[in-house]
Amino acid sequence: MEIKALLLDDIAIDRATKRIAHEIIENNKGVENVVLLGIARGGVPFAERLGANIFNIENIRVPIGKLDITLYRDDLAKANMDAKVTGSEINFSLEGKDVILCDDVLFTGRTVRAGIEAIFKLGRPSTIQLAVLIDRGHRELPMRADYVGKNVPTALGEEVQVCLDASKGVKAVILNKSS
């Protein structure tokens, strides 16, 4: 893959995450009933950033969990993939909560579908809302994010790469094109 464009740098990621945090607070009339669930890998650091921003605004720590959707994917057998189950890490109840499902990139909608299925196996929330850093289009399922950092029209052969890991020294969203 070859780099085509820098979509968001660290400052733009922070700006988008702060805006989404404000929108979550406003739409839920506070955060007393809100929990954040990051979809394993990319969604977890995004959920953690949202949680930190909500704390900075409201001085309330919302519960943050990691949701492993591996067993709920619909492409494991087709892709002949080795399912590496890391396990969900959710130490709070989802019953009656306003769950904000967090992921780094919204693409076909299949990951979100798997996430919703996994959530319902854990409990019955009041609402499930979707927050994504990047919406790149190309939906295969009727999914729409409630909170979006940036809409980026992409070609099918392109890849959106999100790095929110401070330990790697890079916080950016990059668009790669096929070679």
Side-chain angles (χ1 to χ4, degrees):
M1 288 281 189
E2 177 185 332
I3 294 177
K4 181 176 180 180
L6 174 66
L7 300 176
L8 297 173
D9 61 12
D10 190 31
I11 294 169
I13 292 169
D14 282 341
R15 189 177 302 119
T17 308
K18 286 175 186 170
R19 177 179 43 78
I20 291 170
H22 279 283
E23 290 173 0
I24 289 169
I25 294 163
E26 182 178 341
N27 289 345
N28 291 283
K29 298 173 180 52
V31 291
E32 289 72 21
N33 202 45
V34 169
V35 298
L36 301 174
L37 289 183
I39 293 178
R41 292 198 296 183
V44 175
F46 179 51
E48 289 168 348
R49 277 183 164 223
L50 281 175
N53 278 295
I54 289 170
F55 177 76
N56 290 338
I57 298 163
E58 293 288 297
N59 201 30
I60 296 172
R61 292 208 188 276
V62 297
I64 301 171
K66 176 182 117 180
L67 185 66
D68 184 350
I69 62 158
T70 305
L71 298 177
Y72 301 94
R73 293 179 53 140
D74 63 2
D75 62 350
L76 288 177
K78 180 180 172 186
N80 197 18
M81 300 171 64
D82 289 329
K84 185 173 183 177
V85 179
T86 59
S88 294
E89 296 172 15
I90 303 168
N91 58 4
F92 47 87
S93 173
L94 302 181
E95 290 295 322
K97 296 295 184 182
D98 294 310
V99 173
I100 312 297
L101 183 61
C102 303
D103 205 5
D104 53 355
V105 179
L106 176 57
F107 184 30
T108 63
R110 293 184 180 278
T111 298
V112 174
R113 184 218 46 89
I116 292 170
E117 191 174 332
I119 288 169
F120 280 121
K121 292 288 185 185
L122 298 169
R124 189 175 193 287
S126 177
T127 65
I128 300 175
Q129 302 163 45
L130 178 61
V132 298
L133 186 57
I134 301 291
D135 183 344
R136 64 171 288 191
H138 302 287
R139 227 58 94 239
E140 294 174 3
L141 299 175
M143 301 291 175
R144 181 188 56 81
D146 300 282
Y147 312 101
V148 178
K150 184 173 179 126
N151 287 292
V152 180
T154 62
L156 281 173
E158 295 173 328
E159 175 187 88
V160 175
Q161 181 182 0
V162 177
C163 184
L164 297 178
D165 189 355
S167 67
K168 293 181 181 174
V170 177
K171 290 181 255 173
V173 180
I174 298 166
L175 180 63
N176 294 315
K177 64 180 178 178
S178 299
S179 306

